[in-house]
Amino acid sequence: MTEIDNEFENKVTTIYNSIDFSQINEKEYLEYRNSYREKYGIKKDDFVFAYSGRISQEKGVYELIKAFNKVDIPNKKLVIIGGIWYNSKKKNSYLESLEKISKDDVIYTGYIEHKNIQKILCSVDIGVVPSICNEAAGLSVVEFMNTENVVVASNMGGISEYLNKEGNYLVEYTDNNDEFVNNLALAMENSYRDRENMTEMKKNNYEFSKKFTPEENYRKIIECLESSDGKI
């Protein structure tokens, strides 16, 4: 977030964007995890990384695939969830460039309706948000955390403000593309090595994601209005 001058610091309140999540119980979580893995040919012992969002250059998907190709772990899969534009099944030159560097362990789902995003994210082990632009809000980070996924993310824009700092992997973006790709690959490998300790991390992420519900957003707005004493 942009730094605020000292004279205004106590007069500014940050109210984050919110997402309206459905509540998924443990039985539903397992059903979604198994059904979506079966749908996309993912085995039970596969370790799944996923990107969820629009497929465009500034989102860093090309860098993600290059990093994934460097990741040296067994039974890895990368699922790219989304299309080049909302509700679009078309391809463009950027998507075609991604397909050229992708191997058999990269899966493209195409556009997924938003109501089904939570469901498909239940099939994932690690969410990756590799943006190379200054993201205004990292809501895909929140979606991954809400479905109890550990997250690897770049530190661009507002992403770090939405990410639980404990147990996730924040990767520093650098203009040196090869360096950023290597750092991303290293964080992904480290997330795999830490997989035995993920149970607590996943639960913490789920609890942290509750900060970004519409109810919490509304509560903060009311709190802000009440504390302003009508001087807005």
Side-chain angles (χ1 to χ4, degrees), residues 51-229:
Y51 166 85
S52 177
R54 186 162 47 86
I55 297 177
S56 58
Q57 185 174 353
E58 70 274 12
K59 297 296 185 179
V61 190
Y62 188 85
E63 286 74 12
L64 169 58
I65 296 173
K66 287 175 67 177
F68 177 75
N69 289 341
K70 290 175 174 285
V71 172
D72 186 18
I73 63 172
N75 306 319
K76 66 176 182 176
K77 289 286 190 298
L78 173 61
V79 180
I80 306 295
I81 303 167
I84 64 172
W85 195 246
Y86 308 105
N87 201 23
S88 173
K89 296 182 180 180
K90 295 181 179 180
K91 291 186 180 184
N92 60 9
S93 58
Y94 182 72
L95 177 54
E96 289 172 350
S97 73
L98 302 183
E99 292 175 336
K100 286 180 181 178
I101 64 169
S102 299
K103 300 177 183 177
D104 292 340
D105 49 10
V106 179
I107 299 164
Y108 292 85
T109 69
Y111 172 78
I112 299 288
E113 288 187 77
H114 191 263
K115 66 180 181 180
N116 293 322
I117 291 296
Q118 265 186 291
K119 298 174 185 178
I120 192 171
L121 293 187
C122 292
S123 67
V124 173
D125 295 302
I126 302 291
V128 189
V129 184
S131 297
I132 59 175
C133 65
N134 283 312
E135 292 281 3
L139 291 181
S140 58
V141 168
V142 180
E143 289 176 328
F144 279 124
M145 291 192 298
N146 184 258
T147 45
E148 298 190 11
N149 286 297
V150 171
V151 181
V152 173
S154 73
N155 65 343
M156 293 296 286
I159 288 176
S160 63
E161 295 184 54
Y162 287 80
L163 181 68
N164 181 9
K165 304 301 189 299
E166 298 181 10
N168 295 295
Y169 303 84
L170 195 62
V171 180
E172 183 174 357
Y173 175 74
T174 169
D175 289 334
N176 184 320
N177 188 269
D178 289 339
E179 183 179 354
F180 176 62
V181 167
N182 288 336
N183 290 342
L184 196 59
L186 179 61
M188 294 166 73
E189 285 189 355
N190 287 339
S191 71
Y192 173 80
R193 296 192 185 100
D194 291 339
R195 65 193 182 284
E196 301 300 331
N197 303 316
M198 280 186 182
T199 301
E200 193 65 27
M201 294 156 59
K202 288 171 178 281
K203 290 180 180 178
N204 290 342
N205 275 353
Y206 174 73
E207 292 300 322
F208 190 84
S209 73
K210 292 179 181 178
K211 294 174 61 176
F212 306 102
T213 61
E215 293 78 12
E216 182 63 15
N217 183 278
Y218 176 77
R219 187 190 68 78
K220 291 286 288 185
I221 292 173
I222 296 301
E223 183 183 274
C224 181
L225 292 173
E226 290 177 342
S227 65
S228 70
D229 196 27

Side-chain angles (χ1 to χ4, degrees), residues 35-54:
S35 63
Y36 275 97
R37 283 190 166 224
E38 181 178 354
K39 179 177 180 177
Y40 293 107
I42 301 170
K43 298 177 182 177
K44 186 176 181 180
D45 60 346
D46 284 340
F47 193 80
V48 181
F49 298 92
Y51 166 85
S52 177
R54 186 162 47 86

